[in-house]
Amino acid sequence: MTTLNNLTKFTKKNKIIIFLVLLAILVFSLRIGKVSTMSCDPDLAGIAYTGMGINDGKVPYLDISGGKPPLSFFTVGLLFNLFGTEFSVIYAASIFLMIISAILIFFTVKEIINFETGCLASILYAFFSATESVRGACPNYTTWMILPLIASLYFLVMGEKYNKKTFYFLSGIFIAASIFTKQSALLNLAGILGYFIIAFVINKKRDLKKLLHKLFYFFFGLLIFLLPFLIYFGSAGALSELAPNVIPSASYTLSSEAFSKISNQTSSTPFEPVLEIMRKTKMNVMPNILLYILAASFLIFPLGKRFRKSILSSNLILLALIWTVFSYLGVCAGGRFYHHYFVQIIPGLTIMAALTIYYLYKTIKKFKTGIIAALIVLTLVQPTIGIFGPESGLHRNHTITTQLYETGEYVKSITGPEDKIYVWGYAPEIYVYSERFSPTKHYKFWIVVKSLDTQNIVKENVNDSIFLDHLKNDKPSVFISTNKRMDPGLDEYERLNNFIKENYIFDRNISNIEVYTLK
């Protein structure tokens, strides 16, 4: 009996630590099963190539074309420098980031409501962030954005609750980190500013000086984060390259033009863009529909005065609500609805769903424990199926990843460390597997053959003398074509095809990937 009492006392005293350990095990367990069949997101493979280039002294945008904000480049470069140039390093880091993200969800909701609701929110997040519907088990740069994004929310909650300027400063740092990982986090920044304004307006004691102090420390943190990047790119003479790669895409994230691209037709009614968003997000929303319903129920369920008053009386709940809405706008901002984009909304949905369940528990009079337990179990059925279900066809499957690995290993075996290669295809993984670089900064073929505005093939772009001159002046030792599986083929591009015929001989075919070696 004494042993049992001691165990009970220990558990109560250390319940947070015990829960966090169990939470980390849960997040790890839900993802580790996918590692053996994991496929790499092509965008992340491109980021990995740039990180590899940083370790070789290359400057992003100047020496390697970018298209993404720079933080992920440096993060991957640091990981490769510490642990080796292996995609397994990225997989492990991604799982670690998701564990920390789940822990931050717990602490955020714990500060907003209580320990139990924080536990529920983090468990919901652990499950729903790992589903195939958001490509949760596949490392991609959207999942890398989530940790600083949640950290920004957490420190803002702490700042609002305890009125300490350090927390606003840290929130600013982390919102900048999330934006410098993926531009759609700009919508969360807009949401935070919207919250500051709304909270100021509805507060009877409108203290403008206090608001300005909050904004000062928040933006000071944001600017402090930007400073090292400005110094780095400025000293490398690459500020002119940084701006067109980051600023236009960042402004595009917030522009009405981006939202107009959601629909290819002229809106017949003011509701048409909304209806089009609903149609295009259907395949991503439906696998998690119970989570969306629970989150939305926070607003639409008639839960009585306690519920309605809580929204107005608690700035923290108002903050979580606004942050969630703007997270969804971030998903929609680019006008494209890839699976992994929806990771951005999952933290907000799980927080709001947990708050809904909390208020249901407070409102229901009879059988509430059984009802709430049944509701939670029912809600977790969908993500469980999604986690252990088949991979979607949107990204790489494991077979293709294996073929790219075999190609990269072969290319590495027939080339030296200083040799260059060129991959004509949507397969930057080959550069990383082979640990070889492109002779031109335009290592991604679609930058050469596609219009970034229309996403249509523009065949004449491949005849760009700059691109061909790079290949002619620094001929790659190996030229790889993915042979129309991940590229438009060589036959359609006469000048490039002639260049290959004149300078290369066919070496071998690896799972239908063609390898050519320099004559």
Side-chain angles (χ1 to χ4, degrees):
M1 193 68 177
T2 304
T3 303
L4 182 60
N5 289 336
N6 289 337
L7 181 61
T8 302
K9 289 180 181 179
F10 176 82
T11 302
K12 288 182 178 180
K13 186 178 180 180
N14 300 280
K15 63 179 183 179
I16 292 179
I17 295 175
I18 293 171
F19 174 75
L20 293 182
V21 170
L22 294 175
L23 179 64
I25 293 172
L26 175 64
V27 175
F28 179 81
S29 301
L30 292 175
R31 285 165 173 79
I32 195 63
K34 288 278 188 179
V35 169
S36 61
T37 59
M38 193 172 287
S39 56
C40 183
D41 177 78
D43 283 343
L44 189 59
I47 290 170
Y49 173 71
T50 308
M52 188 175 76
I54 290 173
N55 291 340
D56 193 59
K58 294 178 171 54
V59 178
Y61 313 124
L62 185 66
D63 300 318
I64 301 176
S65 59
K68 308 292 181 190
L71 181 58
S72 53
F73 301 153
F74 290 95
T75 303
V76 172
L78 177 63
L79 290 171
F80 282 173
N81 194 38
L82 292 174
F83 304 108
T85 308
E86 300 285 345
F87 276 109
S88 59
V89 172
I90 296 178
Y91 299 156
S94 297
I95 293 176
F96 176 76
L97 291 177
M98 297 310 286
I99 290 173
I100 303 301
S101 298
I103 290 173
L104 282 175
I105 288 286
F106 163 76
F107 279 111
T108 301
V109 179
K110 175 180 172 292
E111 293 296 333
I112 295 175
I113 301 292
N114 56 29
F115 170 82
E116 291 77 15
T117 312
C119 292
L120 176 59
S122 58
I123 291 171
L124 290 174
Y125 176 78
F127 275 90
F128 281 97
S129 64
T131 65
E132 184 59 25
S133 64
V134 295
R135 295 291 290 168
C138 174
N140 59 75
Y141 69 104
T142 307
T143 59
W144 286 47
M145 171 188 71
I146 293 302
L147 176 58
L149 198 61
I150 298 172
S152 177
L153 175 64
Y154 168 71
F155 284 114
L156 189 55
V157 165
M158 294 293 285
E160 289 292 87
K161 188 171 182 177
Y162 299 106
N163 194 29
K164 290 187 176 180
K165 57 189 179 184
T166 304
F167 291 132
Y168 294 107
F169 174 77
L170 291 172
S171 180
I173 286 178
F174 281 105
I175 195 66
S178 59
I179 292 169
F180 261 55
T181 305
K182 190 180 179 187
Q183 300 96 330
S184 61
L186 276 164
L187 274 298
N188 290 90
L189 172 60
I192 289 171
L193 297 181
Y195 159 75
F196 277 128
I197 294 171
I198 294 172
F200 175 76
V201 171
I202 66 175
N203 194 329
K204 294 180 181 179
K205 300 177 182 179
R206 296 188 181 95
D207 190 338
L208 182 60
K209 184 178 179 181
K210 184 177 179 180
L211 173 63
L212 293 177
H213 270 95
K214 292 178 182 179
L215 291 173
F216 171 80
Y217 286 107
F218 179 80
F219 279 103
F220 184 57
L222 190 151
L223 293 173
I224 286 294
F225 180 86
L226 298 182
L227 188 60
F229 290 96
L230 296 177
I231 293 174
Y232 170 82
F233 285 105
S235 62
L239 274 179
S240 61
E241 294 285 342
L242 173 67
N245 277 280
V246 175
I247 294 175
S249 53
S251 60
Y252 175 81
T253 300
L254 291 171
S255 70
S256 59
E257 179 188 356
F259 285 94
S260 69
K261 286 181 179 292
I262 291 171
S263 177
N264 294 324
Q265 56 189 10
T266 303
S267 298
S268 56
T269 69
F271 302 104
E272 181 58 34
V274 176
L275 294 174
E276 188 65 16
I277 287 175
M278 293 175 66
R279 285 191 287 267
K280 290 194 173 185
T281 59
K282 180 180 177 181
M283 70 174 182
N284 302 96
V285 171
M286 290 308 294
N288 300 319
I289 188 63
L290 289 178
L291 181 66
Y292 280 85
I293 290 173
L294 275 175
S297 297
F298 187 79
L299 288 179
I300 64 177
F301 273 5
L303 301 180
K305 291 183 180 179
R306 179 193 294 272
F307 173 76
R308 290 194 297 270
K309 288 175 66 176
S310 69
I311 299 178
L312 298 176
S313 63
S314 173
N315 279 4
L316 301 184
I317 293 176
L318 178 66
L319 170 59
L321 176 61
I322 294 173
W323 192 80
T324 302
V325 171
F326 277 82
S327 293
Y328 187 74
L329 293 178
V331 172
C332 301
R336 294 173 292 177
F337 299 94
Y338 297 137
H339 286 42
H340 60 285
Y341 284 16
F342 285 80
V343 174
Q344 185 170 351
I345 187 64
I346 296 298
L349 290 176
T350 54
I351 290 172
M352 301 313 298
L355 293 179
T356 297
I357 292 174
Y358 167 76
Y359 282 107
L360 279 172
Y361 184 80
K362 288 290 186 180
T363 304
I364 296 172
K365 301 298 182 183
K366 295 182 179 181
F367 311 111
K368 60 182 180 181
T369 301
I371 292 173
I372 295 301
L375 180 60
I376 293 172
V377 171
L378 183 63
T379 303
L380 292 177
V381 168
Q382 267 195 314
T384 302
I385 296 173
I387 291 170
F388 299 104
E391 287 192 354
S392 69
L394 183 63
H395 291 277
R396 297 274 192 265
N397 58 44
H398 184 59
T399 300
I400 293 177
T401 299
T402 302
Q403 293 167 355
L404 298 179
Y405 171 77
E406 292 172 351
T407 303
E409 285 292 299
Y410 174 70
V411 170
K412 186 176 182 178
S413 70
I414 63 171
T415 58
E418 302 302 319
D419 288 334
K420 305 290 179 60
I421 69 171
Y422 194 82
V423 180
W424 182 251
Y426 192 38
E429 294 97 318
I430 294 176
Y431 292 110
V432 182
Y433 287 134
S434 65
E435 298 185 48
R436 302 292 182 261
F437 292 100
S438 162
T440 169
K441 65 182 288 184
H442 302 300
Y443 72 94
K444 295 183 282 192
F445 86 101
W446 62 89
I447 288 180
V448 180
V449 303
K450 287 188 177 182
S451 164
L452 297 179
D453 293 326
T454 65
Q455 293 293 305
N456 293 324
I457 298 294
V458 183
K459 295 181 180 179
E460 59 271 19
N461 279 10
V462 78
N463 296 325
D464 187 326
S465 60
I466 295 176
F467 168 70
L468 286 175
D469 284 348
H470 283 168
L471 294 186
K472 291 176 180 178
N473 295 334
D474 190 7
K475 294 184 180 67
S477 300
V478 177
F479 189 97
I480 301 107
S481 170
T482 55
N483 197 27
K484 298 188 178 181
R485 300 172 62 202
M486 291 166 276
D487 68 52
L490 290 171
D491 295 339
E492 299 181 38
Y493 302 96
E494 184 178 353
R495 288 184 63 191
L496 179 62
N497 197 22
N498 289 339
F499 170 77
I500 299 302
K501 289 179 178 178
E502 292 170 4
N503 296 280
Y504 292 84
I505 56 174
F506 176 75
D507 180 76
R508 67 181 57 198
N509 188 306
I510 302 174
S511 302
N512 208 35
I513 297 175
E514 296 176 349
V515 179
Y516 299 85
T517 54
L518 194 62
K519 289 181 179 178

